[in-house]
Amino acid sequence: MNHLRCYAFCFGVLLIPTLCRASRAGGSDGQEQFRTGRVYDTADDPFMVLDPAGGLRYGDPFPAYFDGVWHLYTLQSGLGAVRHLTSTDLVTWIEHEPALTGGGIATGVVVRHEGRYHMFYTTGQMGVGVVSSDTPYRFDRATKRKVAGPDPEYYPDPKVFRDVYVFYHEEEKLWWMLFEVGGARTGVVVGVYKAEHIEGPWKPHPPVYTHPRDGHRFHQFVSCPEIFRQGNVWYLTYLSNDTHYHVASAPEGPWGAPKGQYNSDFLTAGSRTVSDGRRRLNWGFFTVRPTPENQGARPRYGGPLGVGREMVFFDDHTIGVRPLPELIAAIRERASDVDVFPLMAAASGNWRFDADRKSMASLDEAGGAAAITVPGHHPDYYFEADIEFGESVTAVSVTVRTCADSHTGYRVALLPERETFEITEPAGQRRTYLSKSHPFRKVANLKVFISDGQLEAFVDGRSDLSTRVLNTSGTKLMLKAEAGKAVFRNPVLHYFKRE
């Protein structure tokens, strides 16, 4: 948990029954036994919202995978419960009764060992508790055991001791327990306790990673740390507002400088991942933070969950992310009744629209714009296209929720010459929401999700940008080749369900 998450303590614990939200059921016996009746279909609305009327919001996710079922455990605002969703197809998610309830519950992990499920979690940000169960659906707080806390030798004076993660170190034949510690003497570190058995006893060891100091003040955070192996490389991930990662040849490090980040700045707590043995996934939530249209926003903890991501690992050990392929397949299947071409018209410049070849080409060297008129009652949608850059084009953009003069909305822009991917205001100063470096090729694939107050964009199964948005009144989607030619191919438009 980082400084934004301290706002969670301002909220009381309020568990309000939730309403059924879509209709597709399914799942295993455990899913049915503990379900609440609420089902999310993320192909109809990609951003899961906990309880907007009652004020509860999703917090830090810590996913797990058991026997063909994906489990998405998350904190909630107020830190009074661990919420629990499951899915067998990564599209439809069932909301269950909270897996754990009580006060002061912060980030943890659920581990299965010898048929038992162990939820390790932070208790009041100053220790680690564990609750064991025969099922991954319910953990009884009354059976909690405290298993770790500040240590006089290695972690003597922490201001925080939180965000536990547990994994088995095969080479050492020991269980490792990671956590974030911040204190005047230790600085900000990823601490570690070790045990021969998952039940303990757990013994303190020196930190596995120490974050650089900034003068006499702590430099950022190492919240929600995790260590995992991918191929022959080990990765350390943690949250420091955005999600950073390091690489090393062993869990002990040395970890060196950050290798990079995945998940963009406004999507929080994506440093906990899950693998089914074939691939690795992660989720995050949308925080409230100042943006160009909402500069006075007061940060707060929790929000809607973002689109689930599949992590992509490259030969240079960098990490990219792409939307869950299952979700994209479901969206494309349902988009067959939305034909983009009858909704399209040139707004400026010379264009060639070819419905048979599924292409829209800007033919002028000066560039041009084409507008897609989206019905006013459908401001929430998914748009995808392959974009071929002309030789001299400086930028290609897709502006969502815009109007005829393109002065409103959100400009998602690809700038191949600058190797930059960004979300900006569409006109005027074009103040920037988010920006990220991206190595473009001749053709790029762009995927955009916009629904209610959230916008996410992905390029080439590698780079992502995520931000909150306020405007829901624009009825046009504008394609632009800025100062050059470009071709948009294979467009997909899918309307999300409006309640």
Side-chain angles (χ1 to χ4, degrees):
M1 275 180 28
N2 63 23
H3 63 293
L4 286 175
R5 296 154 67 185
C6 295
Y7 286 95
F9 293 100
C10 299
F11 298 93
V13 178
L14 181 62
L15 297 178
I16 298 176
T18 55
L19 300 176
C20 180
R21 203 175 175 183
S23 58
R24 289 204 305 167
S28 65
D29 292 340
Q31 284 184 292
E32 295 301 324
Q33 180 181 357
F34 294 99
R35 65 181 296 175
T36 63
R38 181 178 182 176
V39 179
Y40 294 100
D41 185 339
T42 55
D44 279 342
D45 190 347
F47 306 119
M48 294 187 281
V49 179
L50 177 54
D51 180 25
L56 293 179
R57 299 178 297 279
Y58 286 118
D60 297 8
F62 45 103
Y65 178 82
F66 306 119
D67 302 325
V69 179
W70 301 92
H71 295 256
L72 188 51
Y73 300 96
T74 81
L75 302 186
Q76 72 173 31
S77 56
L79 302 185
V82 174
R83 311 300 297 206
H84 186 201
L85 303 113
T86 61
S87 178
T88 57
D89 63 5
L90 294 171
V91 177
T92 301
W93 290 86
I94 296 174
E95 171 87 32
H96 301 280
E97 301 170 5
L100 180 70
T101 59
I105 300 171
T107 306
V109 64
V110 178
V111 180
R112 182 170 66 179
H113 180 62
E114 295 181 348
R116 294 274 286 169
Y117 299 87
H118 308 273
M119 180 182 287
F120 293 84
Y121 65 98
T122 306
T123 59
Q125 299 202 65
M126 288 300 295
V128 176
V130 63
V131 175
S132 301
S133 174
D134 292 327
T135 171
Y137 292 88
R138 180 173 293 167
F139 296 84
D140 184 358
R141 180 74 174 263
T143 65
K144 180 198 76 173
R145 295 181 293 115
K146 186 174 180 179
V147 292
D151 174 72
E153 181 176 1
Y154 297 116
Y155 315 108
D157 60 344
K159 292 184 177 179
V160 293
F161 189 105
R162 61 192 180 192
D163 295 358
V164 59
Y165 179 76
V166 173
F167 72 100
Y168 189 66
H169 190 309
E170 292 284 353
E171 288 75 12
E172 286 191 351
K173 305 300 181 187
L174 293 174
W175 290 93
W176 279 34
M177 177 191 296
L178 307 179
F179 42 83
E180 177 189 23
V181 178
R185 291 171 58 184
T186 62
V188 178
V189 305
V190 176
V192 61
Y193 276 52
K194 300 180 183 181
E196 293 184 7
H197 306 286
I198 197 167
E199 294 84 3
W202 292 88
K203 299 179 181 180
H205 289 260
V208 71
Y209 171 72
T210 300
H211 210 53
R213 289 178 182 259
D214 181 8
H216 296 290
R217 296 182 301 170
F218 300 148
H219 178 67
Q220 299 182 316
F221 302 84
V222 290
S223 303
C224 304
E226 176 177 332
I227 291 175
F228 64 85
R229 185 175 184 174
Q230 184 70 27
N232 295 323
V233 175
W234 288 87
Y235 289 84
L236 165 66
T237 65
Y238 55 83
L239 169 66
S240 187
N241 288 332
D242 43 17
T243 307
H244 294 267
Y245 64 94
H246 304 241
V247 297
S249 59
E252 299 83 2
W255 292 103
K259 182 74 171 177
Q261 72 176 80
Y262 61 89
N263 294 349
S264 62
D265 293 7
F266 291 177
L267 193 76
T268 296
S271 58
R272 290 294 167 87
T273 72
V274 59
S275 175
D276 63 352
R278 300 181 300 111
R279 56 183 180 155
R280 190 166 291 274
L281 313 182
N282 75 89
W283 284 261
F285 68 84
F286 283 89
T287 58
V288 173
R289 296 192 197 170
T291 66
E293 66 178 337
N294 192 22
Q295 296 185 56
R298 181 180 178 183
R300 69 181 186 184
Y301 177 73
L305 293 177
V307 170
R309 281 119 162 96
E310 180 176 306
M311 303 170 74
V312 183
F313 297 88
F314 297 96
D315 292 341
D316 63 355
H317 307 316
T318 56
I319 301 175
V321 292
R322 63 178 182 172
L324 294 173
E326 290 86 348
L327 175 58
I328 299 301
I331 286 173
R332 288 173 176 169
E333 178 183 356
R334 300 183 200 184
S336 60
D337 60 340
V338 181
D339 188 352
V340 174
F341 289 92
L343 306 176
M344 182 172 294
S348 66
N350 185 21
W351 285 77
R352 181 180 64 239
F353 303 131
D354 190 331
D356 292 334
R357 296 185 178 183
K358 298 182 179 180
S359 71
M360 305 91 81
S362 173
L363 304 177
D364 291 348
E365 289 293 345
I372 300 173
T373 300
V374 180
H377 62 284
H378 270 299
D380 299 344
Y381 49 84
Y382 169 85
F383 179 77
E384 176 184 352
D386 298 316
I387 301 171
E388 180 180 337
F389 301 111
E391 293 297 330
S392 61
V393 71
T394 58
V396 176
S397 65
V398 173
T399 302
V400 296
R401 287 187 181 163
T402 190
C403 55
D405 60 11
S406 299
H407 284 176
T408 62
Y410 308 94
R411 172 180 171 265
V412 181
L414 316 182
L415 292 75
E417 289 185 350
R418 291 168 45 192
E419 294 194 333
T420 300
F421 170 37
E422 64 185 15
I423 297 177
T424 74
E425 293 179 317
Q429 297 179 359
R430 280 187 175 171
R431 292 177 297 178
T432 301
Y433 287 73
L434 294 164
S435 180
K436 182 178 285 188
S437 297
H438 181 82
F440 287 103
R441 298 182 179 179
K442 181 67 174 177
V443 178
N445 175 265
L446 175 65
K447 297 178 173 69
V448 180
F449 299 79
I450 185 161
S451 183
D452 295 324
Q454 292 74 236
L455 167 62
E456 293 204 85
F458 297 81
V459 173
D460 295 337
R462 184 184 190 112
S463 301
D464 69 318
L465 296 174
S466 309
T467 184
R468 283 183 179 260
V469 294
L470 297 181
N471 177 27
T472 60
S473 62
T475 59
K476 292 186 183 296
L477 190 159
M478 194 73 70
L479 313 181
K480 285 188 178 181
E482 303 178 12
K485 298 179 180 180
V487 182
F488 295 80
R489 302 187 190 278
N490 307 312
V492 176
L493 179 63
H494 168 63
Y495 301 144
F496 295 131
K497 182 176 293 184
R498 301 297 294 166
E499 294 183 351

